[in-house]
Amino acid sequence: MAVIKKTPAEIEAMKEAGRLSAAVLREVGARCVPGASTLELDEFAEDYIRSHGGIPTFKGYGGFPGSICASINEQIVHGIPSPAVKLQSGDIISIDVGATVDGWAGDNAWTYAVGTISPEKKRLLEVTEKSMWAGISAARVGNRLGDIGHAVQSVAKKAGLGVVRDYTGHGIGRNMHEDPNVPNYGIRHTGMKLEAGMVLAIEPMLTLGTHKTHVMSDGWLVVTQDGKPAAHFEKTVAITEDGPILVSVEPDRERPI
């Protein structure tokens, strides 16, 4: 496993991609309203990224056709935007989007409520976000990869939610996916030692049921095996001697804790 650590100057450069990816995520999230199609969201995201000097990281990545992944309810990740898929009140939608600026990739995701959602779905969103922040808090020099996964898993387990195991977070830099993989489950004090200069995308995917997944016939869309809703939250984080710094955020929000 070859982890590419970044210098402080490179982390600063990555923040430009991170800020754009965070800004477009916020703007797309505001447009997740009843009646909107996922293709409309995708087209907005692509236009926004390009008009602000970036390149949509996802578009064409491994053959993926969209600029965002739009995954609704029981869909976990990698939903392909479509004019035929329109949001309805009560849905939750996970938007995953990346922007590349000056060769650096920024990556983040958030799950949004569409209209009024059930208390069960609201709790799923709240706990999944909380688990992400727990994972980020564990991304510290001297800890290990297992500490991040354990932190995420502990929050999920306490709430009785499933933790998706087949898909993980990852290193990120000039490539969207770099070593190491960052599982959302684990044992404390195990795995690779975390060092300053590592930049990780931490992205819990939790469910209201089983952790087991199924890939649909398009080869991209991943759904829960039992059809129960899933949520997905993600931020890019730089590990520094002074603690974790959020990379995929807009200005003045770099310190998570």
Side-chain angles (χ1 to χ4, degrees):
M1 187 179 291
V3 174
I4 304 171
K5 291 193 288 186
K6 281 73 180 177
T7 66
E10 288 173 329
I11 291 171
E12 285 300 312
M14 287 190 71
K15 288 179 184 177
E16 292 306 312
R19 287 166 183 162
L20 179 53
S21 68
V24 69
L25 179 63
R26 173 177 51 79
E27 292 293 340
V28 171
R31 288 161 173 79
C32 291
V33 297
S37 77
T38 54
L39 182 63
E40 290 169 349
L41 300 176
D42 183 77
E43 290 174 340
F44 171 84
E46 180 172 359
D47 289 345
Y48 189 98
I49 292 169
R50 293 191 188 280
S51 67
H52 287 78
I55 298 169
T57 310
F58 293 6
K59 191 156 185 128
Y61 186 86
F64 189 77
S67 295
I68 65 170
C69 297
S71 309
I72 300 171
N73 296 327
E74 78 281 0
Q75 301 172 356
I76 304 169
V77 285
H78 304 160
I80 296 174
S82 167
V85 178
K86 296 184 183 293
L87 301 181
Q88 301 178 41
S89 183
D91 286 340
I92 55 173
I93 179 169
S94 299
I95 301 293
D96 194 352
V97 62
T100 298
V101 178
D102 295 330
W104 296 103
D107 188 12
N108 55 183
W110 208 262
T111 303
Y112 296 98
V114 181
T116 302
I117 62 173
S118 68
E120 192 176 40
K121 284 182 174 177
K122 186 172 186 290
R123 186 175 72 91
L124 172 64
L125 268 57
E126 290 172 348
V127 174
T128 308
E129 181 186 352
K130 182 179 178 181
S131 75
M132 179 189 70
W133 293 120
I136 289 169
S137 181
R140 297 179 180 274
V141 173
N143 277 356
R144 294 182 178 271
L145 273 179
D147 292 301
I148 296 176
H150 181 267
V152 171
Q153 185 179 26
S154 295
V155 172
K157 184 176 180 180
K158 185 176 180 179
L161 300 184
V163 179
V164 172
R165 293 170 172 259
D166 295 335
Y167 300 87
T168 69
H170 50 90
I172 185 171
R174 292 200 175 275
N175 298 300
M176 186 166 68
H177 291 102
E178 297 182 353
D179 288 334
N181 287 334
V182 185
N184 294 307
Y185 59 93
I187 299 171
R188 294 182 64 198
H189 312 312
T190 65
M192 175 180 287
K193 193 170 184 179
L194 303 180
E195 299 178 1
M198 289 182 174
V199 181
L200 307 175
I202 295 176
E203 50 179 320
M205 289 156 264
L206 305 187
T207 77
L208 284 175
T210 181
H211 69 274
K212 294 181 180 179
T213 66
H214 173 72
V215 181
M216 300 299 283
S217 59
D218 64 9
W220 284 104
L221 178 61
V222 180
V223 301
T224 58
Q225 200 172 92
D226 59 9
K228 292 187 177 181
H232 176 203
F233 287 77
E234 174 186 19
K235 286 294 177 189
T236 300
V237 182
I239 299 175
T240 77
E241 294 291 353
D242 297 322
I245 290 178
L246 296 175
V247 175
S248 59
V249 291
E250 294 177 85
D252 304 322
R253 300 181 186 178
E254 292 175 359
R255 290 285 178 183
I257 45 227

